[in-house]
Structures are given as structure tokens and as C-alpha cells.
Amino acid sequence: MLYKRSSQLFADAEKVIPGGVNSPVRAFKGVGGTPIFVKSAKGAYLYDEDGNKLIDYINSWGPMILGHAYQPVIDAITERAKLGTSFGMPTELETKIAELAVSMVPNIDKIRFVNSGTEACMSAIRLARGYTKKDKIIKFAGCYHGHSDSFLIQAGSGASTFGTPNSPGVTAGTAKDTLLANYNDIESVKALFEANKNQIAAIIVEPVAGNMGCIPPAKGFLEGLREVCTDNEALLIFDEVMTGFRLAKGGVQELFNVNADIVCFGKVIGGGLPVGAFAARNEIMNYLAPLGPVYQAGTLSGNPLAMEAGLTMLQSLNSDAEIFVRLEEKTAYLEKGIHQVLTDNKIVFTINRVGSMISVHFDEAPVVDFQTAKNGDNETFKKFFHGLLNEGIYIAPSAYETWFITDALTYEDLDFTIKAIDKVAKSL
């Protein structure tokens, strides 16, 4: 495929936008080459500025669970825009989507809408600290919760040491309150609580990881987190920005029957527009201003266009009894096909999948945490990525990202993809 216009647009963008992109992974630094500039999208397909059609396995990093330009959402946004795009005042829409979200998700009474997943996670941490009156948090190496300072921390010399910043601009003072544990390793969590008694406000975790590829929680891991938080009077925060309303109507809490204290949302809950949210039981959420002392605010929070898009998306998911069954079946079909052709071509690989999230790792060992995810053959992934791109298949331009399946994909699309992977595998 030719990408002449995308190359020119990227060169133009680099002159006025840092790195030519407004989010780093879009720059193709992990795979090489020039980013694809999209002109439009519909259903399961992207159409770029050079006129190429691509089957999309990113779906705006998750929200397009029913496909691009999903007509009910487009219609709802169009009609809402005619009434005004922003007021900075309450609207009935906010209550409607809040009521629906609370009815769909277990163990939450109230929800606060913000503008991004980053903002949701940042606010959840502040709320947890205010509620528990403790300062430290635990996060897991490889889990991404947005670009707030508290989350841009890498591990020190051991799992129970203080974190150190891995981005300039994050102060050592901020980093000292973030402790690093290993995903799927409950003992590393217990060690941190033992070393920091009565100081830890919360654990924040992607309950199904999606930022080191798709990594499911090991048996007993989420239950262990719940137990250790309860025993130490800390809060358990599920970052369901990716998984919320995607893996089940009630997200991971429903899927694995483990209750979190605070849940963060994004992606699907906005129907494709910029939205985040965090939710909890009454006694926790009532600590938020204007009811309580923990401050959080936003001029565009509850924006009517975003609320209309999110409400329409959640209504569609809530009314379709088979949607998550179909997504599971399509993703399982894709997994089986990929497994077969990579095996036939004697490629060393591992596939991880939970529901409609899936990732391919070029390593034979199980991928269970960030360290094992890093062991994959990145050079093979680069060839795999560009090979698929040339066949009209768009996957994440990073070996550390999950694929997101949309219900708009047909089995013909899946068969085309499997055949393309077979062709690419022969050249790896």
C-alpha cells in the first residue's frame, strides 16, 4: 500500500505538533515507519488519506465496541449539537447516564463524570487518599493509568522499594508515595503493606491489563488484592477505562465477581467522545466536593455531546442481551485462527485473550506480567505489524498494546485477517 499523503501530512504535523502527534504511541516509534493519517471510518474499517481501506483492530483504543460511526450515536450527537455544545451548567442527560451506569455496574451508588481516563484515575487516587487519610498508593509495573504524575513511576531495585520517576517533570516527592508491585504477584503486594504499615491508601490496578498486551489476572490475584485491602483498611481501585462496559455490562467486577471500592471508566462510556468517570459507594463518593472535602472540578465535565454519545452507547449495550456473547465468540474465532496459522508456520508465539481483548506475543513463555511481556521478540513484532498493514490490517503500533474487537467485524473480516496473518507469517 502507498502512504504518500500520510507521509506528507506527518511531515507537516511535525512542524507544529511535538513529534507530529498528540499522543506518543501514534508516532510509530515502536515499529518504525510513518503514521497513517485517517480520513474517515465506518463499521470495522478505517479509510486513510491515501484512499486505503484497513480492517481496524484498535477501534480508537477501545470505545468503538459497536463499530465506527455507529448510527444511533451519530444521530444522537447530531441532534444534541443543535441544542448547544457546552453550558457549564447541569443537564438532565448527566443524571440519565449516571442512573444507567449505576444500574449496570455492581457495587457503585454514585458516579462523577470527567473528561478522560487519566482524569478519572487521578481523581480516584485523590479521593482514596482523602477518604483513608493516608498518602501512599500501590500500582503495578506495566499497568498504565494515564499520564498523571503519580502513575509515571518505574520500579526501583526491588518490589518493596520506593518508586522513582521515569519521566522528567515528575518530582521525587511525588514518586516516593507510589509503591511498585508486580502484576499477578500477590506476595509483592503483601510485602509492600508490611514495609509501609498504616500508610497505604489504595491499590490501583488494571484488573485485566491492556497496556503490556492483554494479560488476564491469575487465579486468586484479584481476590487476594481485595483481601489485603480489606485487612489493611485500604481501598481497591479498578482502572476499568479499557474493560468497563467491554468485557461485560458490569465490567470486571461482574466478570470475576470481585468488588472494588472505586472504579474508573473511559473509552466505551463516552461512545467515542472524550469522557472519563469514577464511581463508588455512597460513603466514599460523598467525600467529594460539594458534599465533602476532596476537591475535583471540570469546566467540560458532563459535556452534553459526550453525555449523549455515552448514554446512547450504554443503552445499546444494555438492551442487547447477546452483544457480549457475540464479541466473545468472534474473538475466540480469531484467536483459534491465529493460533493455527502461526503454529503451521512454526512461529514462536503466545496469545492472551479475555473477552474481546486479545494480544499476540512473540515468545513461547506465558506472558503474565510486564517483565514477561518485555521478553517478546520486538523485531518480529515490527515485521508482523508492517506485514499486516500492507495486507490492509491495522493493529496497535506497539508490542505492548491489546487489540480491541468490535461487533462490526464480520466472520469474512476475521477470515481475511487470518489469511493475511498466514501470509505474513511465511515471511517472518
Side-chain angles (χ1 to χ4, degrees), residues 318-338:
N318 196 45
S319 63
D320 187 342
E322 300 299 320
I323 176 61
F324 295 102
V325 174
R326 293 198 305 274
L327 285 165
E328 169 81 22
E329 289 175 347
K330 288 180 179 180
T331 315
Y333 183 88
L334 179 64
E335 178 189 17
K336 182 179 179 181
I338 296 173

Side-chain angles (χ1 to χ4, degrees), residues 11-28:
D12 293 341
E14 287 182 297
K15 298 173 184 176
V16 289
I17 300 172
V21 294
N22 283 308
S23 190
V25 74
R26 301 176 192 173
F28 277 32

